[in-house]
Amino acid sequence: MNTEHEAASDVATLYWVGGTDGYLKMIDQTLLPTEYKEIECRDVETVWEAIKKLRVRGAPAIGIAAAYGVVVGLQTEAGTSRAEFDQRLKIVAEYLAGSRPTAVNLFWALDRLQKLAADSADLDSGEMHALLLEEARRIEVEDLEMCHKIGEVGAALLSPGDGVLTHCNAGGLATSGGGTALAVFFEAARQGKGIHVYADETRPLLQGARLTTWELMQRNVPVTLISDSMAGWVMKEGKIQAVVTGADRIAANGDSANKIGTYSVALLASLHDIPFYIAAPSSTFDLSLESGAEIPIEERQPEEITNGFGKQTAPEGVDVYNPAFDVTPAKFIRGIITERGLIQPVTTEQVLRVLNSEPVQS
Ligand SMILES: CSC[C@H]1O[C@H](OP(=O)(O)O)[C@H](O)[C@@H]1O
């Protein structure tokens, strides 16, 4: 636990230091696992770059970073009129919204802060700034509570000795510190279920190889790293009894966007009659979308594939297609694990029923 970190998280993915004149501190995830370094974000441009370059990544973590990014971006408005403050708030929110398009938590957090400001027109700029910092901290702490509940709901689905496969990183590093898919594994391990995790390396940015294995080893959860192309074979060999991944945006019918390669894993799981679960907080649902067809998919730079981590592995000028996410249709998802319970079957009716219920009691 970082002594400066006020939220009760044991993985200090990101946190605010000080008052409204403070700053956002975060682990630079691009350096893991070989270097553990925290960076300080003292202006909104640094926050934007950190999200864009995946120094901070994962839907919930991106939402928290954006919320604190708004607070940082408003530090230029100390002592201004409320009208000037609100104009700057609009500019900063639009700027941060342009960092990455798929993770809905980013937009959910920005909308939440802007609505708070609209509902607090009577406050002066200093009071409003302080209230926005409180709300950003609330988003962080609420996420930690959601992660712990997701862990409890999901762990109940796993049996002693299960082999479980995951794709990308949906751990503490992708959230306030508790994780979503990995929260399920952490809780199952805490309950003594003796699970064994198989982590896809997750090309091209290797969040699985670099981050998921690191987190699980930190917590002494047995983990085996496999290449993405091995997922089908370990299922065929009977090593996998369940698959759990995170999500970046879930449509009202349960179609789920997640790291590229997740769709293939879901199809393979279906072929082997292995349950495929998504673990995600309610803040990752976008009920304005009827289906996953409308989820915006981020395309990233070709160099992530042709020059991953500095080594050229393809001819100069080769044509590259690099979508960062894909969408798994609800029909391939056995259940969606949320802090409000398990959504099963995965239908619009069930999504709305569970999301309208209260969070499970720990
Ligand atoms: C708990 S959300 C984790 C989710 O975010 C990752 O994407 P990225 O690393 O590009 O931010 C991936 O889709 C994970 O499943």
Side-chain angles (χ1 to χ4, degrees), residues 153 157 247 250-256 276-281 285 330 333-347 351 354-355:
V153 172
L157 301 169
I250 304 173
N253 71 343
D255 293 350
S256 298
F276 174 90
Y277 295 105
I278 294 275
F285 286 76
I333 304 171
R334 185 69 59 90
I336 302 178
I337 303 161
T338 78
E339 78 281 6
R340 298 169 189 267
L342 179 68
I343 297 173
Q344 191 177 57
V346 181
T347 62
V351 166
V354 173
L355 292 190

Side-chain angles (χ1 to χ4, degrees), residues 35-327:
E35 184 181 357
Y36 185 102
K37 178 183 176 186
E38 290 184 313
I39 57 176
E40 297 178 357
C41 303
R42 295 176 182 270
D43 56 49
V44 70
E45 291 76 13
T46 304
V47 178
W48 187 95
E49 192 270 356
I51 295 171
K52 182 69 178 177
K53 297 291 188 179
L54 281 74
R55 301 186 199 282
V56 60
R57 33 112 346 246
I62 290 172
I64 297 164
Y68 283 132
V70 167
V71 178
V72 166
L74 286 165
Q75 289 176 338
T76 61
E77 302 308 298
T80 60
S81 70
R82 182 62 199 272
E84 291 167 316
F85 183 92
D86 288 346
Q87 181 56 27
R88 173 68 177 169
L89 170 56
K90 182 173 181 298
I91 292 169
V92 167
E94 287 174 355
Y95 173 64
L96 288 165
S99 55
R100 295 185 75 190
T102 303
V104 71
N105 302 62
L106 169 67
F107 308 95
W108 166 84
L110 294 173
D111 290 348
R112 177 163 159 175
L113 263 58
Q114 291 180 96
K115 183 180 184 309
L116 177 63
D119 294 345
S120 314
D122 57 317
L123 300 182
D124 65 33
S125 56
E127 293 164 335
M128 193 66 243
H129 201 188
L131 191 60
L132 290 172
L133 175 55
E134 281 179 34
E135 191 71 0
R137 280 200 170 113
R138 195 171 292 118
I139 289 173
E140 178 190 356
V141 174
E142 283 174 5
D143 181 76
L144 191 62
E145 292 165 357
M146 286 193 278
C147 290
H148 289 163
K149 294 181 189 300
I150 287 169
E152 292 167 0
V153 172
L157 301 169
L158 301 182
S159 300
D162 273 356
V164 290
L165 184 138
T166 193
H167 190 75
C168 199
N169 172 260
L173 290 169
T175 63
S176 55
T180 55
L182 265 60
V184 172
F185 305 157
F186 294 148
E187 177 59 16
R190 190 193 67 78
Q191 294 176 8
K193 289 194 169 182
I195 62 166
H196 190 117
V197 180
Y198 288 79
D200 283 352
E201 65 178 346
T202 316
R203 282 188 54 79
L205 295 180
L206 306 180
Q207 290 93 325
R210 298 185 300 110
L211 308 177
T212 293
T213 55
W214 182 79
E215 285 201 58
L216 291 168
M217 292 172 72
Q218 293 274 319
R219 306 274 285 256
N220 300 313
V221 178
V223 57
T224 298
L225 174 62
I226 61 174
S227 65
D228 297 336
S229 51
M230 288 173 61
W233 190 245
V234 292
M235 292 181 194
K236 175 74 167 60
E237 289 186 318
K239 290 180 167 64
I240 309 299
Q241 282 68 52
V243 179
V244 186
T245 76
D248 293 82
R249 190 182 302 223
I250 304 173
N253 71 343
D255 293 350
S256 298
N258 197 53
K259 184 54 48 189
I260 189 73
T262 304
Y263 173 61
S264 305
V265 167
L267 294 185
L268 287 166
S270 174
L271 193 64
H272 291 86
D273 194 24
I274 296 170
F276 174 90
Y277 295 105
I278 294 275
S282 49
S283 52
T284 299
F285 286 76
D286 181 352
L287 300 181
S288 72
L289 302 182
E290 286 184 14
S291 78
E294 307 158 74
I295 297 176
I297 300 298
E298 177 187 19
E299 285 199 42
R300 294 185 63 87
Q301 292 302 311
E303 289 71 29
E304 291 180 351
I305 294 178
T306 61
N307 292 70
F309 300 92
K311 178 166 175 51
Q312 183 169 338
T313 54
E316 288 290 342
V318 67
D319 181 41
V320 176
Y321 178 38
N322 184 21
F325 302 97
D326 57 28
V327 177

